[in-house]
């Protein structure tokens, strides 16, 4: 049921917004093996600036995370707009294998 709910209009509305995008604007080294990515994340037609600290492993795996506020993107409308059941702050974890 949850899988069906999140694709609907109140959550991600995949019929109207089938893709999410991140456009990288800058990538800078902050320390050995550590980077900061900055760019624009678009979800449900709303774009916000994002910065994410990243770590690069010796095996070429890039990992990191950042927090978005789901209300900024209109995720969880209607009955789900309150934050007592589903938090506003959502951590996005990423892992990319660079080959």
């Amino acid at each position: 049921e949850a899988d069906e709910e999140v694709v609907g209009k109140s959550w991600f509305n995949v019929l109207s917004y089938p893709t999410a995008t991140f456009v990288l604007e800058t990538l800078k080294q902050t320390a050995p093996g550590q980077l900061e990515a900055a760019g624009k994340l678009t979800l449900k037609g709303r774009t916000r600036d994002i910065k994410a600290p990243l770590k690069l492993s010796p095996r070429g795996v890039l990992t990191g995370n950042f927090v978005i506020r789901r209300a900024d993107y209109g995720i969880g409308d209607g009955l789900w707009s309150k934050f007592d059941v589903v938090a506003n702050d959502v951590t996005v974890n990423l892992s990319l294998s660079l080959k």
Side-chain angles (χ1 to χ4, degrees):
E1 290 177 11
D3 289 345
E4 291 176 15
E5 181 71 26
V6 297
V7 299
K9 192 173 182 178
S10 293
W11 289 94
F12 288 95
N13 194 359
V14 297
L15 290 177
S16 296
Y17 305 100
T19 59
T21 60
F22 177 74
V23 177
L24 181 67
E25 294 178 336
T26 62
L27 183 63
K28 64 180 180 180
Q29 185 173 1
T30 57
Q34 297 183 15
L35 305 161
E36 181 183 76
K40 298 197 180 296
L41 176 66
T42 302
L43 298 170
K44 285 185 76 175
R46 298 180 186 186
T47 303
R48 300 289 185 267
D49 291 324
I50 296 292
K51 286 187 180 179
L54 305 171
K55 292 182 182 178
L56 180 60
S57 78
R59 293 189 172 162
V61 177
L62 195 61
T63 58
N65 63 57
F66 57 93
V67 175
I68 65 167
R69 291 195 167 134
R70 64 182 180 88
D72 289 347
Y73 297 94
I75 298 171
D77 292 335
L79 296 173
W80 299 104
S81 62
K82 295 182 181 178
F83 307 126
D84 55 346
V85 176
V86 179
N88 190 29
D89 289 353
V90 177
T91 300
V92 177
N93 296 305
L94 61 96
S95 179
L96 302 169
S97 180
L98 306 175
K99 294 184 179 190

